[in-house]
């Protein structure tokens, strides 16, 4: 029906990271959403970039092909990781008039401070951010060494459904709008 392509961007590159466990858990649940094709993009596969927006190994093409995005980010020192910023900056117009949702994880804040910073970055890229998020507080304690949740995640599962419903609504609406009238500033 809607055949949405959603890029899920795993935004960390630390060794021993919790991100892959969170990403697997999220992707398993998001894949249950109807009419959505997920494209998992791990920034560790893109190379380091130069910090000045240089292209990263096909990333801009994957952004251009997507109808919407889920950015999965940790919080390091009250912010998001540099490799994620390098990836975001390596594309520009490809982000315009598309929705971005967030899954975050970290310590006591659950990555929410990183999400708030990313909202301003995506605003500058003419992207719309989805209000509702999925957030994991003290994430390292929530998953075992194999990435299996150590506790029931009923609330987080409900949050995934809400996030995906809202993201899909925005993705369909903005795709239809872009097809009827080009977004200003793309000339």
């Amino acid at each position: 029906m809607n055949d949405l392509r959603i890029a899920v961007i795993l935004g960390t590159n630390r060794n021993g990271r919790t991100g892959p466990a969170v990403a697997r858990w999220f992707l398993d649940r998001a894949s249950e959403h109807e009419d959505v094709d997920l494209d998992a993009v791990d920034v560790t596969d893109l190379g380091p970039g130069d910090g000045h927006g240089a292209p990263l190994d096909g990333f801009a093409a994957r952004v251009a092909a997507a109808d919407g995005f889920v950015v999965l980010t940790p919080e390091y020192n009250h912010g998001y990781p540099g490799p994620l910023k390098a990836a975001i900056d390596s594309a520009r117009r490809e982000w315009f008039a598309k929705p971005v949702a967030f899954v975050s994880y970290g310590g006591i804040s659950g990555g929410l401070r990183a999400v708030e910073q990313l909202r301003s970055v995506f605003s500058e890229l003419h992207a719309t951010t989805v209000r509702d998020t999925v957030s994991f507080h003290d994430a390292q304690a929530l998953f075992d060494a194999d990435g299996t949740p150590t506790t029931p995640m009923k609330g987080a599962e409900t949050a995934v459904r809400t996030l995906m419903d809202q993201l899909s609504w925005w993705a369909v609406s903005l795709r239809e709008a872009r097809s009827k009238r080009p977004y200003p500033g793309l000339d």
Side-chain angles (χ1 to χ4, degrees):
M1 184 168 136
N2 291 321
D3 298 320
L4 294 173
R5 184 162 182 82
I6 303 297
V8 179
I9 301 167
L10 175 55
T12 181
N13 69 349
R14 283 201 167 173
N15 292 331
R17 57 196 171 138
T18 306
V22 175
R24 276 190 306 275
W25 181 91
F26 174 78
L27 288 165
D28 285 347
R29 274 119 201 107
S31 67
E32 296 169 2
H33 202 275
E34 292 183 19
D35 298 325
V36 172
D37 177 30
L38 301 174
D39 176 22
V41 183
D42 191 331
V43 298
T44 60
D45 297 334
L46 301 175
D50 68 358
H52 298 287
L56 292 175
D57 197 23
F59 183 70
R62 290 171 88 174
V63 172
D67 296 301
F69 311 92
V70 175
V71 174
L72 196 146
T73 185
E75 180 180 315
Y76 298 138
N77 301 322
H78 291 216
Y80 55 92
L84 175 58
K85 182 69 161 91
I88 292 167
D89 289 348
S90 73
R92 176 132 179 91
R93 293 172 186 240
E94 295 86 355
W95 296 107
F96 284 15
K98 294 182 180 179
V100 181
F102 300 99
V103 174
S104 64
Y105 61 95
I108 193 141
S109 77
L112 294 174
R113 293 176 287 215
V115 168
E116 289 310 308
Q117 291 176 16
L118 284 165
R119 287 185 191 282
S120 66
V121 170
F122 283 109
S123 176
E124 183 64 23
L125 291 169
H126 301 263
T128 298
T129 60
V130 173
R131 181 194 175 276
D132 288 15
T133 64
V134 178
S135 176
F136 294 98
H137 305 269
D138 296 320
Q140 289 182 329
L142 296 177
F143 297 92
D144 67 18
D146 296 325
T148 304
T150 59
T151 183
M153 301 258 192
K154 192 170 187 102
E157 290 173 358
T158 300
V160 169
R161 285 190 296 278
T162 299
L163 178 144
M164 291 301 295
D165 286 346
Q166 291 177 2
L167 180 63
S168 294
W169 186 91
W170 277 107
V172 168
S173 298
L174 291 174
R175 182 174 66 188
E176 289 173 357
R178 288 189 314 273
S179 73
K180 291 178 182 176
R181 188 174 55 211
Y183 184 75
L186 290 178
D187 300 336

